[in-house]
Protein backbone atom coordinates (compact mmCIF):
# COMPACT_ATOMS: atom_id res chain seq x y z
CA UNK A 1 0.00 0.00 0.00
CA UNK A 2 1.19 3.50 -0.82
CA UNK A 3 1.60 5.37 2.46
CA UNK A 4 3.55 8.48 1.61
CA UNK A 5 2.10 11.88 2.56
CA UNK A 6 3.33 15.23 1.37
CA UNK A 7 2.22 18.44 3.06
CA UNK A 8 3.61 21.54 1.34
CA UNK A 9 3.04 24.82 3.13
CA UNK A 10 3.50 27.89 0.94
CA UNK A 11 2.61 31.59 1.09
CA UNK A 12 -0.71 32.31 -0.60
CA UNK A 13 0.15 35.80 -1.84
CA UNK A 14 3.61 36.90 -2.91
CA UNK A 15 3.77 40.52 -3.94
CA UNK A 16 7.09 41.89 -5.23
CA UNK A 17 7.51 45.30 -6.85
CA UNK A 18 7.63 49.06 -6.82
CA UNK A 19 5.84 50.61 -3.82
CA UNK A 20 3.89 47.41 -3.10
CA UNK A 21 4.13 48.24 0.60
CA UNK A 22 1.02 50.34 -0.01
CA UNK A 23 -0.80 47.19 -1.23
CA UNK A 24 -0.10 45.29 1.99
CA UNK A 25 -3.61 45.94 3.36
CA UNK A 26 -5.18 44.55 0.17
CA UNK A 27 -2.86 41.49 0.12
CA UNK A 28 -3.73 40.75 3.76
CA UNK A 29 -7.44 41.38 3.09
CA UNK A 30 -7.40 38.53 0.58
CA UNK A 31 -6.31 36.13 3.29
CA UNK A 32 -9.64 36.51 5.16
CA UNK A 33 -7.85 36.95 8.47
CA UNK A 34 -9.83 38.30 11.41
CA UNK A 35 -8.84 40.51 14.32
CA UNK A 36 -6.23 43.22 14.66
CA UNK A 37 -2.64 42.85 13.47
CA UNK A 38 0.38 42.96 15.73
CA UNK A 39 3.24 44.50 13.74
CA UNK A 40 6.57 42.99 14.79
CA UNK A 41 9.45 45.16 13.72
CA UNK A 42 12.85 46.52 14.76
CA UNK A 43 13.90 50.19 15.19
CA UNK A 44 15.12 51.03 11.65
CA UNK A 45 12.34 49.39 9.62
CA UNK A 46 9.80 50.81 12.07
CA UNK A 47 11.15 54.26 11.38
CA UNK A 48 11.36 53.74 7.62
CA UNK A 49 8.06 51.99 6.98
CA UNK A 50 6.10 51.51 10.24
CA UNK A 51 3.65 54.36 9.70
CA UNK A 52 2.91 53.33 6.10
CA UNK A 53 2.02 49.86 7.36
CA UNK A 54 -0.03 51.03 10.34
CA UNK A 55 -2.05 53.40 8.14
CA UNK A 56 -3.48 50.42 6.24
CA UNK A 57 -5.07 48.62 9.21
CA UNK A 58 -7.73 49.19 11.86
CA UNK A 59 -6.37 49.37 15.38
CA UNK A 60 -2.91 47.91 14.73
CA UNK A 61 -0.54 47.19 17.63
CA UNK A 62 3.25 47.37 17.32
CA UNK A 63 6.06 45.49 19.08
CA UNK A 64 9.64 46.61 18.46
CA UNK A 65 12.27 43.88 18.95
CA UNK A 66 15.86 44.89 19.57
CA UNK A 67 17.57 41.51 19.15
CA UNK A 68 16.87 37.94 18.06
CA UNK A 69 16.69 35.53 21.00
CA UNK A 70 14.38 32.99 22.59
CA UNK A 71 13.73 35.60 25.32
CA UNK A 72 12.53 38.01 22.62
CA UNK A 73 10.10 35.35 21.36
CA UNK A 74 8.74 34.93 24.92
CA UNK A 75 8.44 38.72 25.36
CA UNK A 76 6.56 38.95 22.09
CA UNK A 77 4.18 36.20 23.18
CA UNK A 78 3.49 38.16 26.37
CA UNK A 79 2.76 41.30 24.35
CA UNK A 80 0.48 39.24 22.13
CA UNK A 81 -1.48 38.00 25.17
CA UNK A 82 -2.27 41.60 26.06
CA UNK A 83 -2.99 42.70 22.48
CA UNK A 84 -4.89 39.56 21.37
CA UNK A 85 -3.94 39.87 17.66
CA UNK A 86 -5.62 37.94 14.88
CA UNK A 87 -2.27 37.68 13.07
CA UNK A 88 1.27 39.07 13.05
CA UNK A 89 2.97 41.24 10.44
CA UNK A 90 6.77 40.95 10.47
CA UNK A 91 8.33 44.14 9.11
CA UNK A 92 12.12 44.25 8.76
CA UNK A 93 15.15 42.02 8.38
CA UNK A 94 15.73 38.48 9.57
CA UNK A 95 15.55 39.48 13.23
CA UNK A 96 11.87 40.55 13.44
CA UNK A 97 10.85 38.02 10.79
CA UNK A 98 12.36 35.07 12.67
CA UNK A 99 10.94 36.23 16.00
CA UNK A 100 7.48 36.77 14.53
CA UNK A 101 7.62 33.45 12.64
CA UNK A 102 8.38 31.47 15.76
CA UNK A 103 5.95 33.41 18.01
CA UNK A 104 3.15 33.05 15.41
CA UNK A 105 3.73 29.30 15.41
CA UNK A 106 3.48 29.13 19.21
CA UNK A 107 0.43 31.42 19.31
CA UNK A 108 -1.22 29.44 16.53
CA UNK A 109 -1.86 32.52 14.40
CA UNK A 110 -0.68 33.31 10.89
CA UNK A 111 1.97 35.85 9.96
CA UNK A 112 2.80 37.98 6.96
CA UNK A 113 6.40 38.67 5.98
CA UNK A 114 7.31 42.20 4.89
CA UNK A 115 11.09 42.19 4.34
CA UNK A 116 12.91 45.51 4.28
CA UNK A 117 16.27 43.87 3.51
CA UNK A 118 16.93 40.92 1.16
CA UNK A 119 19.61 39.42 3.40
CA UNK A 120 18.79 35.66 3.38
CA UNK A 121 16.12 33.16 2.39
CA UNK A 122 14.60 33.03 5.89
CA UNK A 123 12.23 35.81 4.78
CA UNK A 124 10.07 33.19 3.08
CA UNK A 125 11.07 29.86 4.57
CA UNK A 126 9.48 27.65 7.21
CA UNK A 127 12.45 27.96 9.57
CA UNK A 128 13.38 30.37 12.29
CA UNK A 129 17.05 30.70 13.08
CA UNK A 130 17.50 32.00 16.61
CA UNK A 131 20.91 32.62 18.18
CA UNK A 132 21.45 31.55 21.79
CA UNK A 133 24.87 31.87 23.39
CA UNK A 134 27.38 30.69 20.84
CA UNK A 135 24.86 28.46 19.06
CA UNK A 136 22.20 29.18 16.46
CA UNK A 137 19.06 27.05 16.62
CA UNK A 138 17.21 26.29 13.41
CA UNK A 139 13.58 25.76 14.45
CA UNK A 140 10.74 24.60 12.19
CA UNK A 141 7.78 26.99 12.04
CA UNK A 142 5.06 27.63 9.48
CA UNK A 143 6.12 29.85 6.57
CA UNK A 144 4.37 33.21 6.06
CA UNK A 145 0.81 33.35 4.73
CA UNK A 146 1.92 36.15 2.42
CA UNK A 147 5.10 37.99 1.46
CA UNK A 148 5.05 41.64 0.46
CA UNK A 149 8.47 42.77 -0.76
CA UNK A 150 8.71 46.41 -1.80
CA UNK A 151 11.58 46.76 -4.26
CA UNK A 152 11.82 50.53 -3.61
CA UNK A 153 12.61 49.84 0.06
CA UNK A 154 14.88 46.90 -0.70
CA UNK A 155 16.91 48.80 -3.31
CA UNK A 156 17.64 51.50 -0.72
CA UNK A 157 18.67 49.07 2.03
CA UNK A 158 22.40 48.61 2.80
CA UNK A 159 24.05 46.94 -0.21
CA UNK A 160 26.06 44.51 1.92
CA UNK A 161 22.81 42.98 3.22
CA UNK A 162 21.63 42.42 -0.38
CA UNK A 163 24.95 40.84 -1.33
CA UNK A 164 24.53 38.49 1.66
CA UNK A 165 21.12 37.45 0.30
CA UNK A 166 22.68 36.78 -3.11
CA UNK A 167 25.43 34.66 -1.57
CA UNK A 168 22.89 32.67 0.46
CA UNK A 169 21.18 31.77 -2.83
CA UNK A 170 24.42 30.97 -4.67
CA UNK A 171 25.26 28.52 -1.88
CA UNK A 172 22.18 26.46 -2.86
CA UNK A 173 24.33 25.09 -5.65
CA UNK A 174 26.55 23.13 -3.27
CA UNK A 175 23.68 22.43 -0.84
CA UNK A 176 21.93 20.49 -3.61
CA UNK A 177 25.15 18.61 -4.41
CA UNK A 178 25.36 17.55 -0.77
CA UNK A 179 21.72 16.51 -0.78
CA UNK A 180 22.20 14.35 -3.90
CA UNK A 181 25.29 12.80 -2.35
CA UNK A 182 23.28 11.97 0.77
CA UNK A 183 20.61 10.37 -1.38
CA UNK A 184 23.19 8.22 -3.17
CA UNK A 185 25.14 7.19 -0.08
CA UNK A 186 22.52 7.23 2.69
CA UNK A 187 19.29 6.93 0.75
CA UNK A 188 17.94 10.10 2.36
CA UNK A 189 14.65 11.36 0.99
CA UNK A 190 15.26 13.64 -1.98
CA UNK A 191 12.82 15.78 -3.94
CA UNK A 192 13.63 16.21 -7.63
CA UNK A 193 11.35 19.27 -7.76
CA UNK A 194 12.91 20.99 -4.76
CA UNK A 195 16.46 20.09 -5.88
CA UNK A 196 15.89 21.35 -9.43
CA UNK A 197 14.21 24.58 -8.30
CA UNK A 198 16.94 25.36 -5.79
CA UNK A 199 19.75 24.59 -8.23
CA UNK A 200 18.15 26.62 -11.02
CA UNK A 201 17.71 29.59 -8.66
CA UNK A 202 21.43 29.51 -7.80
CA UNK A 203 22.45 29.10 -11.46
CA UNK A 204 20.31 32.08 -12.51
CA UNK A 205 21.95 34.28 -9.93
CA UNK A 206 25.46 33.17 -10.92
CA UNK A 207 24.65 33.88 -14.57
CA UNK A 208 23.15 37.31 -13.84
CA UNK A 209 25.60 38.41 -11.15
CA UNK A 210 26.97 41.23 -13.31
CA UNK A 211 23.49 42.78 -13.61
CA UNK A 212 22.84 42.99 -9.87
CA UNK A 213 23.97 46.43 -8.76
CA UNK A 214 23.39 48.68 -5.73
CA UNK A 215 20.41 51.02 -5.72
CA UNK A 216 18.66 49.36 -8.67
CA UNK A 217 15.08 48.27 -8.10
CA UNK A 218 15.35 45.68 -10.86
CA UNK A 219 18.23 44.06 -8.99
CA UNK A 220 16.25 44.01 -5.74
CA UNK A 221 13.42 42.37 -7.71
CA UNK A 222 15.72 39.62 -9.08
CA UNK A 223 17.22 38.93 -5.65
CA UNK A 224 13.97 38.81 -3.73
CA UNK A 225 12.33 36.54 -6.30
CA UNK A 226 15.31 34.21 -5.98
CA UNK A 227 14.92 34.26 -2.18
CA UNK A 228 11.24 33.38 -2.60
CA UNK A 229 12.13 30.47 -4.93
CA UNK A 230 14.66 29.22 -2.44
CA UNK A 231 12.08 29.38 0.36
CA UNK A 232 9.56 27.54 -1.82
CA UNK A 233 12.15 24.82 -2.53
CA UNK A 234 12.58 24.35 1.22
CA UNK A 235 8.81 24.17 1.68
CA UNK A 236 8.49 21.56 -1.07
CA UNK A 237 11.28 19.54 0.54
CA UNK A 238 9.86 19.98 4.03
CA UNK A 239 13.39 20.77 5.24
CA UNK A 240 16.22 23.23 4.61
CA UNK A 241 18.11 20.56 2.62
CA UNK A 242 17.80 22.33 -0.78
CA UNK A 243 19.45 25.45 0.66
CA UNK A 244 21.68 24.16 3.43
CA UNK A 245 24.52 21.68 3.04
CA UNK A 246 28.12 21.54 4.24
CA UNK A 247 28.63 25.25 3.46
CA UNK A 248 25.92 26.06 6.02
CA UNK A 249 27.52 23.73 8.58
CA UNK A 250 30.79 25.65 8.18
CA UNK A 251 28.94 28.95 8.57
CA UNK A 252 27.09 27.73 11.68
CA UNK A 253 30.48 26.79 13.15
CA UNK A 254 31.86 30.21 12.28
CA UNK A 255 28.93 31.72 14.21
CA UNK A 256 30.26 29.85 17.25
CA UNK A 257 33.99 30.27 16.70
CA UNK A 258 33.99 33.84 15.39
CA UNK A 259 30.59 35.27 16.41
CA UNK A 260 29.32 38.50 14.92
CA UNK A 261 32.16 38.93 12.45
CA UNK A 262 30.34 38.33 9.19
CA UNK A 263 26.83 38.00 7.82
CA UNK A 264 25.27 34.56 7.38
CA UNK A 265 25.04 34.85 3.59
CA UNK A 266 28.64 36.00 3.25
CA UNK A 267 29.88 33.08 5.33
CA UNK A 268 27.93 30.45 3.38
CA UNK A 269 29.16 31.99 0.11
CA UNK A 270 32.84 31.67 1.02
CA UNK A 271 32.22 28.17 2.42
CA UNK A 272 30.48 27.19 -0.81
CA UNK A 273 33.62 27.94 -2.85
CA UNK A 274 35.46 25.37 -0.75
CA UNK A 275 32.77 22.67 -0.64
CA UNK A 276 32.40 22.90 -4.42
CA UNK A 277 36.17 22.28 -4.68
CA UNK A 278 35.76 19.26 -2.38
CA UNK A 279 32.91 17.91 -4.51
CA UNK A 280 34.41 18.44 -7.94
CA UNK A 281 38.12 19.16 -7.58
CA UNK A 282 40.09 21.91 -9.20
CA UNK A 283 38.21 21.65 -12.49
CA UNK A 284 34.83 22.07 -10.81
CA UNK A 285 32.80 25.28 -10.67
CA UNK A 286 34.42 26.71 -7.54
CA UNK A 287 36.02 29.52 -9.54
CA UNK A 288 32.66 30.41 -11.13
CA UNK A 289 31.10 30.61 -7.65
CA UNK A 290 34.01 32.75 -6.43
CA UNK A 291 33.80 35.05 -9.46
CA UNK A 292 30.04 35.49 -9.12
CA UNK A 293 30.44 36.38 -5.44
CA UNK A 294 33.21 38.84 -6.28
CA UNK A 295 31.07 40.37 -9.05
CA UNK A 296 28.38 40.95 -6.42
CA UNK A 297 30.84 42.58 -3.99
CA UNK A 298 30.40 39.63 -1.61
CA UNK A 299 33.47 38.30 0.26
CA UNK A 300 35.48 35.45 -1.26
CA UNK A 301 38.22 35.13 1.37
CA UNK A 302 38.54 34.64 5.12
CA UNK A 303 40.16 38.07 5.38
CA UNK A 304 37.21 39.73 3.63
CA UNK A 305 34.89 37.98 6.10
CA UNK A 306 36.99 39.44 8.90
CA UNK A 307 37.80 35.92 10.09
CA UNK A 308 41.30 34.66 10.99
CA UNK A 309 42.72 31.80 8.91
CA UNK A 310 42.86 29.66 12.07
CA UNK A 311 39.16 30.34 12.81
CA UNK A 312 38.20 29.37 9.28
CA UNK A 313 40.19 26.12 9.46
CA UNK A 314 38.68 25.32 12.87
CA UNK A 315 35.18 25.81 11.41
CA UNK A 316 36.00 23.58 8.43
CA UNK A 317 37.43 20.74 10.52
CA UNK A 318 34.59 20.73 13.07
CA UNK A 319 31.60 21.46 10.80
CA UNK A 320 30.62 17.79 10.50
CA UNK A 321 30.11 17.51 14.27
CA UNK A 322 27.23 19.92 14.69
CA UNK A 323 24.34 18.34 12.83
CA UNK A 324 23.17 14.95 11.73
CA UNK A 325 23.15 15.89 8.04
CA UNK A 326 25.16 13.85 5.53
CA UNK A 327 27.36 16.09 3.37
CA UNK A 328 30.72 16.05 1.59
CA UNK A 329 32.23 16.71 5.03
CA UNK A 330 30.81 13.53 6.55
CA UNK A 331 33.46 12.02 8.81
CA UNK A 332 35.33 15.32 8.83
CA UNK A 333 38.24 16.86 7.01
CA UNK A 334 41.61 16.96 8.75
CA UNK A 335 43.58 20.14 9.27
CA UNK A 336 46.09 19.48 6.53
CA UNK A 337 43.38 18.87 3.93
CA UNK A 338 41.38 21.86 5.18
CA UNK A 339 44.39 24.15 4.73
CA UNK A 340 44.91 22.69 1.28
CA UNK A 341 41.37 23.34 0.05
CA UNK A 342 41.28 26.81 1.63
CA UNK A 343 44.61 27.68 -0.01
CA UNK A 344 43.82 26.15 -3.40
CA UNK A 345 40.62 28.20 -3.62
CA UNK A 346 42.34 31.39 -2.42
CA UNK A 347 40.13 31.58 0.68
CA UNK A 348 43.27 31.79 2.79
CA UNK A 349 46.67 32.94 1.62
CA UNK A 350 49.56 30.58 1.10
N1 LIG B 1 15.48 31.89 9.08
C1 LIG B 1 16.62 31.69 8.45
O1 LIG B 1 16.73 30.80 7.60
C2 LIG B 1 17.81 32.54 8.74
C3 LIG B 1 17.76 33.49 9.75
N2 LIG B 1 18.85 34.25 10.07
C4 LIG B 1 18.70 35.20 11.21
O2 LIG B 1 18.44 36.49 10.70
C5 LIG B 1 19.02 37.47 11.51
C6 LIG B 1 19.93 38.34 10.69
O3 LIG B 1 19.25 38.78 9.56
P1 LIG B 1 19.34 40.28 9.06
O4 LIG B 1 18.33 40.47 7.98
O5 LIG B 1 20.75 40.61 8.81
O6 LIG B 1 18.86 40.99 10.40
P2 LIG B 1 18.33 42.30 10.98
O7 LIG B 1 16.86 42.20 11.12
O8 LIG B 1 19.11 42.54 12.22
O9 LIG B 1 18.64 43.46 9.90
C7 LIG B 1 19.96 43.84 9.62
C8 LIG B 1 20.16 45.35 9.85
O10 LIG B 1 19.48 46.07 8.85
C9 LIG B 1 18.70 47.10 9.44
N3 LIG B 1 17.61 47.35 8.50
C10 LIG B 1 16.49 46.63 8.27
N4 LIG B 1 15.83 47.14 7.21
C11 LIG B 1 16.55 48.20 6.77
C12 LIG B 1 16.39 49.12 5.69
N5 LIG B 1 15.37 49.04 4.83
N6 LIG B 1 17.31 50.09 5.54
C13 LIG B 1 18.38 50.18 6.39
N7 LIG B 1 18.60 49.32 7.40
C14 LIG B 1 17.67 48.33 7.58
C15 LIG B 1 18.35 46.59 10.80
O11 LIG B 1 18.06 47.65 11.67
P3 LIG B 1 17.74 47.47 13.24
O12 LIG B 1 19.09 47.26 13.90
O13 LIG B 1 17.12 48.73 13.66
O14 LIG B 1 16.91 46.26 13.37
C16 LIG B 1 19.63 45.84 11.18
O15 LIG B 1 20.57 46.72 11.73
C17 LIG B 1 19.77 36.75 12.62
O16 LIG B 1 18.95 36.75 13.76
C18 LIG B 1 19.94 35.34 12.07
O17 LIG B 1 19.99 34.38 13.08
C19 LIG B 1 19.99 34.17 9.34
C20 LIG B 1 20.07 33.26 8.32
C21 LIG B 1 19.01 32.36 7.94
O1 LIG C 1 20.04 29.40 6.11
C1 LIG C 1 19.29 28.52 5.74
C2 LIG C 1 19.04 28.28 4.31
O2 LIG C 1 19.63 29.24 3.50
C3 LIG C 1 18.64 27.63 6.74
O3 LIG C 1 19.48 26.58 6.94
P1 LIG C 1 19.70 25.85 8.34
O4 LIG C 1 18.62 24.81 8.41
O5 LIG C 1 21.06 25.26 8.20
O6 LIG C 1 19.60 26.90 9.43
ZN1 LIG D 1 21.27 30.29 4.54
Amino acid sequence: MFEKTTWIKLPRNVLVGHDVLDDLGEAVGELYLTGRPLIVTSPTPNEIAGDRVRAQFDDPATAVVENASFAAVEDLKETAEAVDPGYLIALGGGKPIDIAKMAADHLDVGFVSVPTVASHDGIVSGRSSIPEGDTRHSVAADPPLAVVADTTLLANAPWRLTTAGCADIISNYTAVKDWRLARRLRNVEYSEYAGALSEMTAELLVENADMIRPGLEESAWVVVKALVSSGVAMSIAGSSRPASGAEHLISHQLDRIAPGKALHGHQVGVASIMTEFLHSGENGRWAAIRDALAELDAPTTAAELGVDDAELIAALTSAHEIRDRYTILQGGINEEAAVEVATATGVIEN
Side-chain angles (χ1 to χ4, degrees):
M1 200 174 75
F2 184 76
E3 286 184 354
K4 224 169 173 176
T5 308
T6 301
W7 189 345
I8 299 174
K9 294 188 176 182
L10 296 168
R12 172 170 170 160
N13 281 334
V14 176
L15 212 54
V16 180
H18 181 75
D19 281 345
V20 294
L21 188 65
D22 298 324
D23 301 323
L24 174 64
E26 192 184 338
V28 171
E30 283 193 8
L31 302 171
Y32 306 109
L33 297 167
T34 55
R36 63 195 296 219
L38 172 57
I39 298 159
V40 183
T41 185
S42 63
T44 311
N46 190 35
E47 202 178 310
I48 293 174
D51 287 344
R52 269 172 80 193
V53 170
R54 279 183 284 275
Q56 298 177 58
F57 297 92
D58 286 336
D59 197 22
T62 302
V64 178
V65 298
E66 300 278 346
N67 48 52
S69 62
F70 287 103
V73 175
E74 291 310 314
D75 287 350
L76 180 61
K77 282 160 62 183
E78 257 179 45
T79 306
E81 257 171 45
V83 166
D84 192 25
Y87 57 97
L88 307 185
I89 295 176
L91 172 72
K95 188 171 51 186
I97 290 177
D98 273 350
I99 299 294
K101 193 187 286 181
M102 199 170 157
D105 208 68
H106 290 185
L107 295 163
D108 211 13
V109 295
F111 92 101
V112 174
S113 176
V114 186
T116 58
V117 285
S119 52
H120 54 73
D121 52 19
I123 63 174
V124 193
S125 74
R127 294 205 87 78
S128 272
S129 188
I130 313 271
E132 191 184 49
D134 62 357
T135 310
R136 189 130 73 85
H137 296 267
S138 181
V139 188
D142 279 353
L145 297 171
V147 181
V148 175
D150 188 318
T151 48
T152 325
L153 270 179
L154 296 170
N156 287 314
W159 174 235
R160 67 183 199 98
L161 292 166
T162 309
T163 67
C166 293
D168 201 14
I169 295 158
I170 288 174
S171 81
N172 287 12
Y173 183 72
T174 49
V176 173
K177 282 198 168 185
D178 280 317
W179 195 14
R180 293 208 181 105
L181 185 73
R183 176 186 53 168
R184 288 196 295 272
L185 296 180
R186 287 294 183 277
N187 203 29
V188 305
E189 197 168 338
Y190 176 79
S191 158
E192 293 287 352
Y193 291 108
L197 176 60
S198 177
E199 193 175 48
M200 186 188 73
T201 306
E203 301 262 356
L204 275 175
L205 218 79
V206 169
E207 278 162 27
N208 292 306
D210 59 335
M211 288 163 49
I212 299 170
R213 300 312 323 149
L216 292 184
E217 264 198 81
E218 198 181 345
S219 300
W221 189 81
V222 169
V223 177
V224 87
K225 286 198 42 176
L227 293 171
V228 170
S229 295
S230 188
V232 168
M234 287 189 262
S235 291
I236 293 173
S239 87
S240 61
R241 261 291 192 183
S244 172
E247 73 300 316
H248 272 65
L249 298 181
I250 296 167
S251 167
H252 296 332
Q253 272 306 70
L254 276 176
D255 287 338
R256 290 177 174 175
I257 294 166
K261 290 202 175 164
L263 294 169
H264 167 81
H266 291 163
Q267 293 178 172
V268 300
V270 171
S272 201
I273 301 172
M274 295 184 290
T275 61
E276 166 59 9
F277 188 96
L278 291 173
H279 271 288
S280 308
E282 59 185 303
N283 295 322
R285 292 193 63 199
W286 65 272
I289 293 174
R290 178 201 58 195
D291 294 348
L293 292 170
E295 186 84 60
L296 290 158
D297 304 329
T300 58
T301 65
E304 285 171 6
L305 284 175
V307 165
D308 296 343
D309 291 359
E311 291 171 331
L312 183 99
I313 297 303
L316 249 172
T317 52
S318 59
H320 63 290
E321 293 165 3
I322 59 166
R323 189 184 215 171
D324 183 20
R325 176 166 286 192
Y326 193 94
T327 71
I328 191 74
L329 289 176
Q330 187 74 17
I333 177 168
N334 70 21
E335 195 175 321
E336 233 179 354
V339 170
E340 201 166 313
V341 64
T343 311
T345 50
V347 169
I348 66 174
E349 275 180 23
N350 239 330

